Amino acid sequence: MACRISELVLDCHDPEVLARFWCEVLDFVVLDREEGAIEIGPREGFGGPQPTIILSRTDEPKNGKLRLHIDVNATDRDQNAELERLLAAGAEPVDIDQTGEESWHVLADPEGNEFCLLKAHLAPL
């Protein structure tokens, strides 16, 4: 028997702002609210094939590049169209010394947390 990832926890200054952003990016919904934290995830809720994300309020600043980041793939459009959608949702391009030849785009959410938009087009779950 093995483990699987059920939740990802992201410390942030404003869980409400990041919940709105990541719900739009991933087509997630708010599953739970506790003081200082919001859990978002697929409409089916906790325990399905996708992990939920807990956005946990902190006053500590983000220092440098994250050691772990999220990669996303479009499910209903090509990479360029998805890039435009993510930028319109509030993502910002990030330069981490890419060559320009990469097949992915490095972006940041509204609090500067890096994530990558990959080229593959995945079928929705």
Side-chain angles (χ1 to χ4, degrees):
M1 196 88 208
C3 292
R4 69 181 172 108
I5 297 172
S6 59
E7 300 171 345
L8 301 171
V9 179
L10 181 60
D11 289 343
C12 60
H13 290 288
D14 192 338
E16 291 290 337
V17 167
L18 285 193
R20 281 192 301 276
F21 175 80
W22 284 107
C23 281
E24 185 171 340
V25 169
L26 300 170
D27 192 30
F28 276 12
V29 296
V30 172
L31 299 174
D32 192 23
R33 289 177 191 274
E34 294 184 13
E35 187 174 331
I38 299 174
E39 183 174 16
I40 63 171
R43 296 174 193 285
E44 309 83 58
F46 178 82
Q50 296 184 81
T52 63
I53 300 174
I54 297 174
L55 302 159
S56 180
R57 181 164 171 29
T58 184
D59 291 327
E60 294 179 24
K62 175 185 176 283
N63 293 314
K65 181 181 172 204
L66 294 177
R67 294 187 74 181
L68 175 71
H69 68 266
I70 296 172
D71 287 343
V72 299
N73 293 82
T75 60
D76 62 352
R77 63 197 76 194
D78 68 21
Q79 184 186 41
N80 289 332
E82 185 63 1
L83 176 62
E84 292 305 314
R85 186 182 80 85
L86 296 176
L87 294 172
E92 295 285 336
V94 175
D95 182 1
I96 56 167
D97 296 325
Q98 302 96 301
T99 66
E101 299 298 316
E102 293 81 6
S103 62
W104 63 87
H105 294 277
V106 182
L107 304 168
D109 69 16
E111 288 200 8
N113 301 301
E114 298 89 3
F115 68 100
C116 293
L117 171 61
L118 305 182
K119 188 170 181 111
H121 180 198
L122 299 178
L125 290 175

